[in-house]
Amino acid sequence: MKKVRKNRVAGNWKMNLNLQEGLSLFSEISNMAKDELRGAQELIICAPLSHLYPLVQLAGKQSPVKIGAQNIHHEAAGAYTGEVSAAQVYSTGATHVIVGHSERRAYFQEDEFILFKKMALALQQGLQPIFCVGETLEQREFGDYLKVITKQLREILEHISPSDFERVILAYEPVWAIGTGLTASPEQAQEVHRHIREQVGSIFDYHLADQCSILYGGSCNKENAKDLFAQKDIDGGLIGGASLKSRDFIEIAKVFN
Ligand code: PGA
């Protein structure tokens, strides 16, 4: 028995599925979770903002699956046409939000200042952030990926209180593995996960580091999840493509049964 930490499997639907498709996929996932999972894992679906409230209504109190957003704006409120705040997301009943995803860093120029504001607002408003870090292929090949990860973690976590950090979920998502079919090997992933846990230990303390869930993301699927999740410091997954198929997503979650 290696872990006392919570195991989590989070789906990131990205900008896929219309509302009806999203509701029906969620129902399938939720029913399969009720029938086939034994409660040893927390399931979260991070859906488009337009789907949050209907999904929360559909989930009701019966569904074992939690609902999260993929993004919030970095200001609390105001004249930001088209944006959605942490408080607005929270008011839908959603419980989680992804912050720092590499697609947001790359396509929406989200730097550490913006990411810190998002983390602070998520935590203030009662949302549980899933904070993502990960290196590009170039950074991996250059050999300084652990430095990159250290920087991404420290520039945010050093400004968060230990009690707030208790609600943070971390995710390691190598950019070169996202949506590419190239998965980090269990050993490659474990090396970085261990490093992340050590960084958390040195920023806060080793008790918090030991409690913190660190998810792996990047072409994680039902074939490779078992070997990845067997690693000592990997506590679950952040799943993109495979979360769009109920059977695949549940098979990944079943690794923890
Ligand atoms: P992927 O995406 O599983 O499709 O690689 C993971 C993610 O971006 O969170």
Side-chain angles (χ1 to χ4, degrees):
M1 283 306 295
K2 54 171 182 160
K3 304 171 190 164
V4 287
R5 295 184 284 278
K6 203 165 209 174
N7 297 309
R8 296 179 159 100
V9 179
N12 176 7
W13 285 354
K14 309 196 181 183
M15 200 171 71
N16 295 298
L17 309 172
N18 68 27
L19 179 58
Q20 289 70 30
E21 290 164 344
L23 291 170
S24 103
L25 177 58
F26 186 86
S27 294
E28 285 171 25
I29 291 174
S30 186
N31 290 334
M32 288 178 182
K34 272 187 228 159
D35 294 345
E36 300 176 40
L37 301 183
R38 307 203 190 111
Q41 58 286 79
E42 181 175 85
L43 254 58
I44 307 155
I45 289 292
C46 297
L49 291 167
S50 51
H51 298 17
L52 294 182
Y53 185 68
L55 284 175
V56 169
Q57 295 300 302
L58 177 66
K61 289 198 170 43
Q62 314 301 325
S63 176
V65 185
K66 302 197 162 133
I67 292 145
Q70 298 166 18
N71 185 34
I72 46 173
H73 191 57
H74 59 275
E75 297 295 344
Y80 300 100
T81 301
E83 294 295 328
V84 176
S85 70
Q88 289 168 329
V89 165
Y90 182 76
S91 72
T92 67
T95 48
H96 292 72
V97 62
I98 299 174
V99 178
H101 193 281
S102 62
E103 287 156 15
R104 303 262 354 146
R105 291 179 193 257
Y107 307 147
F108 301 93
Q109 290 74 46
E110 294 191 358
D111 59 15
E112 68 264 35
F113 300 105
I114 289 185
L115 295 179
F116 173 68
K117 285 180 158 191
K118 290 187 183 214
M119 286 293 280
L121 283 166
L123 289 163
Q124 253 169 44
Q125 295 300 330
L127 292 169
Q128 214 175 336
I130 302 173
F131 181 65
C132 307
V133 296
E135 80 284 2
T136 61
L137 184 58
E138 213 183 1
Q139 290 163 334
R140 173 153 286 263
E141 284 174 346
F142 193 71
D144 63 354
Y145 53 97
L146 293 180
K147 275 198 199 132
V148 172
I149 303 291
T150 304
K151 181 169 178 295
Q152 290 174 343
L153 285 170
R154 288 197 169 258
E155 59 198 11
I156 304 300
L157 300 188
E158 281 178 348
H159 307 287
I160 288 179
S161 72
S163 65
D164 276 346
F165 181 73
E166 285 178 19
R167 292 189 288 126
V168 175
I169 299 167
L170 296 175
Y172 168 55
E173 297 207 305
V175 179
W176 48 273
I178 296 178
T180 56
L182 286 175
T183 318
S185 68
E187 296 72 27
Q188 283 175 321
Q190 166 58 23
E191 181 196 23
V192 180
H193 280 242
R194 190 187 55 224
H195 178 74
I196 292 174
R197 202 175 300 287
E198 282 167 4
Q199 290 301 312
V200 171
S202 80
I203 298 168
F204 300 105
D205 61 52
Y206 286 90
H207 173 72
L208 271 185
D210 206 40
Q211 298 291 312
C212 166
S213 296
I214 309 174
L215 313 183
Y216 170 79
S219 299
C220 184
N221 58 37
K222 60 183 178 1
E223 280 76 38
N224 59 32
K226 189 160 179 261
D227 289 343
L228 285 162
F229 299 172
Q231 299 299 310
K232 193 169 175 291
D233 291 291
I234 302 184
D235 309 307
L238 179 54
I239 318 295
S243 72
L244 296 169
K245 294 191 190 118
S246 51
R247 179 42 60 203
D248 290 35
F249 187 63
I250 290 295
E251 291 302 318
I252 294 170
K254 262 191 185 172
V255 169
F256 291 115
N257 266 5

